[in-house]
Amino acid sequence: MTHVRMAQIERGLRVSGGEVNAHYDRAGRLSSIQQRIVPNLEKLDLTPTIDAQQAAELALATKPKHALKGEPELIVRGTKEPVLAWQLTVAWGLTSSWQIEVDAKSRAPASGSKEAWPSPPTNSIAISVSNMERCAT
């Protein structure tokens, strides 16, 4: 079985929770498709009021002894009320790794979890493939 995953992109930013997954059988026929699209993002202001360094400092303050792993990514958090957020991973040793999101406008922690993020509530709607970007799987 082959899988194709496409991420929702809004003005160049990945939308957390917005994706389409297509599944093809061994003969190359489409067997199923799943989608979660975050609607009504065109009016969302995508100008952060804090930079990546400030977001990293705020995230690390919530997890003492942890260190930043990788680079912060500016995303659209696809929640019921979508927000612009910095997404960061912080780690401590080999056993503790947290994904933390900091609201890029209010500086407040948007969320934090040791586990994979639950899917945010979204509406299933018809989509245009031109608004999606293919991601490696």
Side-chain angles (χ1 to χ4, degrees), residues 23-76:
H23 309 283
Y24 296 87
D25 64 19
R26 290 182 185 205
R29 295 180 302 247
L30 182 64
S31 60
S32 68
I33 191 164
Q34 300 161 319
Q35 67 178 18
R36 286 189 312 263
I37 304 301
V38 181
N40 307 319
L41 297 177
E42 59 278 351
K43 293 182 182 176
L44 184 63
D45 180 9
L46 298 183
T47 306
T49 58
I50 63 169
D51 62 24
Q53 179 63 37
Q54 292 168 312
E57 291 168 5
L58 290 165
L60 289 168
T62 68
K63 298 289 174 207
K65 301 182 184 176
H66 286 65
L68 185 63
K69 184 178 174 183
E71 295 294 321
E73 178 187 7
L74 189 61
I75 65 164
V76 174

Side-chain angles (χ1 to χ4, degrees), residues 62-117:
T62 68
K63 298 289 174 207
K65 301 182 184 176
H66 286 65
L68 185 63
K69 184 178 174 183
E71 295 294 321
E73 178 187 7
L74 189 61
I75 65 164
V76 174
R77 174 101 170 113
T79 56
K80 188 173 183 179
E81 292 294 326
V83 296
L84 184 65
W86 287 101
Q87 187 177 73
L88 310 96
T89 301
V90 297
W92 181 38
L94 299 174
T95 59
S96 178
S97 182
W98 289 75
Q99 189 174 54
I100 297 175
E101 292 174 352
V102 177
D103 188 310
K105 298 284 188 184
S106 73
R107 305 171 59 96
S111 57
S113 173
K114 256 189 149 167
E115 305 298 325
W117 293 112

